[in-house]
Amino acid sequence: MVEQSDNGEFASLREEVRQFVAERDWDQFHTPKNLSAALCVEAAELLEHFQWLPTGGGDELAPGKLQQVRHEMADVLVYLVRLADKLDVDLRAAVSEKMVLNRLKYPADKVRGDARKYSEYKDA
């Protein structure tokens, strides 16, 4: 079990989602596999709003469409928070840990302005 050091926004979201799930007796369905699948589905629904836009910039979204995008973003976050809860993962600590690894893979002085994957410039 990973110690939950977060007492802020993630903890508040986690509790809100736990309550919602408990009120509906849905915990029985919330296996890591099912939550991961649901997360992917919601991420695809988010992406669908940007499909066929010329550049996919926020300025191309009408107010109503932007609200739909916000709701899909919320769905993605809810499933991510729920998955972290079920696996006892401290999201804040996981992000901090991953950023350390990302800084090693993508040193700013080497990749600034370059969108290639780290393996493409690693030996360059």
Side-chain angles (χ1 to χ4, degrees), residues 13-114:
L13 289 171
R14 185 175 59 239
E15 289 307 314
E16 187 173 355
V17 173
R18 279 181 182 172
Q19 180 180 354
F20 180 86
V21 169
E23 291 168 352
R24 288 152 183 81
D25 191 27
W26 286 352
D27 189 62
Q28 61 187 314
F29 309 116
H30 287 187
T31 64
K33 177 196 72 78
N34 288 348
L35 291 167
S36 295
L39 176 61
C40 288
V41 169
E42 293 301 338
E45 290 177 5
L46 173 61
L47 178 59
E48 186 177 22
H49 291 286
F50 296 93
Q51 187 178 16
W52 312 123
L53 294 179
T55 66
D59 59 333
E60 295 177 60
L61 299 172
K65 184 63 83 170
L66 181 56
Q67 182 178 17
Q68 292 171 9
V69 166
R70 288 179 57 219
H71 290 168
E72 296 302 342
M73 291 170 67
D75 287 341
V76 168
L77 182 58
V78 165
Y79 281 118
L80 183 60
V81 167
R82 185 70 178 140
L83 179 61
D85 188 20
K86 294 298 282 190
L87 294 175
D88 294 319
V89 170
D90 180 332
L91 283 174
R92 184 181 306 275
V95 168
S96 294
E97 179 182 315
K98 183 61 177 175
M99 292 308 295
V100 168
L101 297 173
N102 286 346
R103 282 184 178 90
L104 293 172
K105 280 197 222 179
Y106 298 98
D109 62 329
K110 193 171 189 179
V111 303
R112 184 170 281 107
D114 190 342

